[in-house]
Amino acid sequence: MARSVNSVASRARRKRILKQAKGFFGRRKNVWTVAKNAVEKAMVYAYRDRKQKKRNFRSLWIMRINAGARLHGMSYSVFMGKLKASNIELNRKVLADLAMNHPEAFAAIVNQVK
């Protein structure tokens, strides 16, 4: 009896990977073995960077709050400490937006915690 191979599923699997490799450069987009490795690596980076994105944004917000607080003669750590002590529950994302786009509102918050 002849060996049975499910070529329909194999083709579909290859087609799915090659579709994910669309836009890649050179042989990475159309050669099966190269594309498979490239897509696997890309998926690893995508998974890792979904976590890193959150870290990067928090870091950015902290920098913006620090810059805004220093304009009013206060460091980031002192500002956040006084913010918690005065029971003002604004998260870093909102505070960073205020520091960047609404400096007068941020100044009002700084004056309230002083």
Side-chain angles (χ1 to χ4, degrees):
M1 188 197 277
R3 187 170 72 100
S4 175
V5 287
N6 190 354
S7 61
V8 175
S10 301
R11 168 60 57 196
R13 193 163 46 246
R14 282 189 220 109
K15 195 172 178 182
R16 189 179 72 235
I17 295 289
L18 287 170
K19 189 175 180 182
Q20 286 177 313
K22 185 180 177 187
F24 287 10
F25 185 79
R27 290 192 303 169
R28 296 161 70 96
K29 71 173 171 278
N30 55 11
V31 175
W32 162 243
T33 51
V34 182
K36 184 167 68 99
N37 292 334
V39 167
E40 281 177 5
K41 189 70 166 178
M43 293 296 183
V44 169
Y45 284 141
Y47 178 80
R48 181 198 68 189
D49 290 340
R50 281 195 296 276
K51 278 45 171 183
Q52 271 188 354
K53 184 178 175 184
K54 294 165 183 66
R55 291 178 224 155
N56 292 339
F57 268 103
R58 185 182 168 95
S59 172
L60 176 69
W61 297 333
I62 288 170
M63 283 185 243
R64 287 178 175 177
I65 295 166
N66 189 25
R70 285 185 186 276
L71 289 174
H72 300 285
M74 198 182 293
S75 72
Y76 169 79
S77 61
V78 171
F79 174 68
M80 291 306 281
K82 289 185 176 184
L83 204 67
K84 296 282 183 266
S86 59
N87 291 325
I88 298 174
E89 293 183 10
L90 289 174
N91 63 18
R92 286 168 181 80
K93 183 178 180 179
V94 171
L95 286 168
D97 183 57
L98 290 175
M100 281 287 292
N101 302 319
H102 308 285
E104 62 285 341
F106 188 77
I109 293 169
V110 172
N111 291 333
Q112 195 172 353
V113 298
K114 272 188 180 176

